[in-house]
Amino acid sequence: MNITASMVKELREMTGAGMMECKKALTETGGDMDKAVEYLRERGLAAAEKKAGRIAAEGIVDTKVSEDGKVASIVEVNCETDFVAKNETFRSFVAAVTDQALKTNAANIDEFLAEKWEQDPAKTVKEALASMIAVIGENMNIRRFEKITAENGFVTSYIHGGGRIGILVEVETSAVNDEVKEAAKNVAMQIAAMSPKFVKKEDAPADFIDHEKGIIKAQVMNDPANSKKPENIIEKMIEGRLNKELKEMCLLDQVYVKDGDMSVGQYLESVSKQVGAPIAIKRFVRYETGEGLEKKSEDFAAEVAKQMGM
């Protein structure tokens, strides 16, 4: 049977499902509208799309490290309320997504969502998400993922606040023992607490440096106290402030939170001497739930007044 645009439109209006899902449902059921509705309902797609407009800014970050410590994944899955974020069904689903991310070859989130769902290859990851939305009753979103493979060393992970913040750290070293693993965990906790942007100063892109320098220069020049200072003094002031800012942004230059008398770099050097092998932080990933997402602001009194027609 020929599936027309009007049939797809009708099914979409009936179920709230996406256009491509509706077309697929009609194709699979030979154009039978009732069977197509059932097809979508069975896959959780009929209920899912209707909730897609709601902001999903709660949720959790989860991590998974392979048994040999060489590969690790981190994912953020969002939902609408903190109540659902604490729900075991939701958390089990997030754990399954993290398992999938550990084995994926996807280069981006769209490729990841299009993959076959490992727990049920008849579905894609996106379809599994849609089914879970129907079960949970809230909009959900697999927002992002990252996978790290350690070439010469291992990856450690750390979860803070029950999934509010998640960290992966790739450590390069020939000494993989308990002392080094503890040091890596301490560094991961540092990243969670102090939120650095880069491992070291050299990792900061030139355009980022230029941008920050421009902001600092504007701050300096807008201060009337600096209006009569020579240009070379102004330049030194800008460089000084930039270096101070970078020191706070770069992990190895940060003050080590467990010992304020040393930097993170100095702490790692001390552990390196103890174990007799160099320890280097190659990279890290820090996810914080909902960062950059607009959370829905609700004025309860205004909502009640609206409902009462006041």
Side-chain angles (χ1 to χ4, degrees):
M1 183 180 178
N2 186 35
I3 308 301
T4 64
S6 61
M7 290 168 69
V8 174
K9 181 174 180 288
E10 183 183 348
L11 183 59
R12 192 178 186 196
E13 287 171 353
M14 286 170 67
T15 64
M19 201 172 294
M20 294 308 293
E21 283 86 1
C22 288
K23 186 177 180 183
K24 185 179 179 184
L26 287 163
T27 303
E28 293 290 326
T29 57
D32 187 310
M33 198 63 68
D34 291 336
K35 286 182 180 177
V37 172
E38 286 303 308
Y39 178 94
L40 291 169
R41 288 187 64 196
E42 285 167 7
R43 285 156 181 78
L45 296 169
E49 297 294 334
K50 288 183 179 178
K51 301 183 178 73
R54 303 212 296 258
I55 297 167
E58 295 292 340
I60 58 171
V61 176
D62 194 20
T63 59
K64 175 93 175 186
V65 181
S66 62
E67 284 187 26
D68 63 3
K70 292 286 187 182
V71 186
S73 63
I74 183 168
V75 301
E76 178 186 354
V77 182
N78 302 119
C79 55
E80 292 179 56
T81 64
D82 184 50
F83 177 76
V84 164
K86 293 173 180 174
N87 177 291
E88 275 309 310
T89 303
F90 174 76
R91 286 180 169 266
S92 294
F93 175 72
V94 176
V97 173
T98 313
D99 284 346
Q100 177 112 8
L102 190 69
K103 297 158 190 166
T104 190
N105 291 315
N108 54 54
I109 194 67
D110 289 330
E111 286 183 16
F112 181 70
L113 291 170
E115 279 185 349
K116 294 297 180 187
W117 180 235
E118 197 176 69
Q119 294 196 352
D120 181 0
K123 295 179 181 178
T124 62
V125 174
K126 185 178 181 180
E127 287 168 343
L129 172 65
S131 298
M132 189 53 58
I133 290 170
V135 170
I136 294 287
E138 277 193 8
N139 188 27
M140 289 166 53
N141 179 38
I142 300 173
R143 184 187 180 196
R144 52 184 172 165
F145 78 95
E146 196 151 341
K147 179 180 174 181
I148 286 183
T149 301
E151 299 297 328
N152 303 299
F154 64 97
V155 185
T156 195
S157 71
Y158 173 67
I159 293 289
H160 178 77
R164 190 172 66 84
I165 297 171
I167 311 290
L168 292 182
V169 183
E170 182 188 346
V171 181
E172 185 176 76
T173 183
S174 59
V176 182
N177 56 36
D178 289 344
E179 279 182 275
V180 177
K181 286 179 181 178
E182 185 184 352
K185 189 69 75 176
N186 286 337
V187 170
M189 291 169 74
Q190 171 89 20
I191 295 164
M194 303 306 292
S195 193
K197 288 186 179 296
F198 314 106
V199 174
K200 54 188 184 299
K201 202 179 292 184
E202 292 76 16
D203 295 339
D207 57 349
F208 175 84
I209 297 288
D210 291 342
H211 177 72
E212 291 304 306
K213 210 169 182 178
I215 291 171
I216 293 167
K217 185 175 183 178
Q219 290 170 349
V220 170
M221 299 310 290
N222 285 332
D223 186 343
N226 299 323
S227 60
K228 294 181 180 179
K229 288 180 180 174
E231 195 174 322
N232 66 319
I233 298 297
I234 294 291
E235 271 304 312
K236 283 182 181 177
M237 289 175 67
I238 293 168
E239 284 299 321
R241 288 196 193 181
L242 179 64
N243 286 332
K244 184 176 182 292
E245 193 175 291
L246 284 172
K247 195 172 180 181
E248 292 169 358
M249 289 181 177
C250 297
L251 173 65
L252 297 181
D253 290 330
Q254 286 183 340
V255 175
Y256 180 42
V257 291
K258 284 194 168 186
D259 183 347
D261 291 332
M262 62 170 73
S263 67
V264 174
Q266 289 167 335
Y267 165 65
L268 289 171
E269 281 176 20
S270 70
V271 179
S272 294
K273 285 177 184 175
Q274 286 174 30
V275 300
I279 301 169
I281 304 300
K282 294 296 289 180
R283 58 178 161 160
F284 66 84
V285 181
R286 184 187 189 276
Y287 281 1
E288 185 164 348
T289 303
E291 60 188 340
L293 291 175
E294 179 191 351
K295 294 200 177 186
K296 187 159 47 177
S297 176
E298 293 181 347
D299 183 334
F300 184 67
E303 183 67 23
V304 171
K306 182 181 175 185
Q307 287 181 13
M308 295 177 70
M310 294 166 67

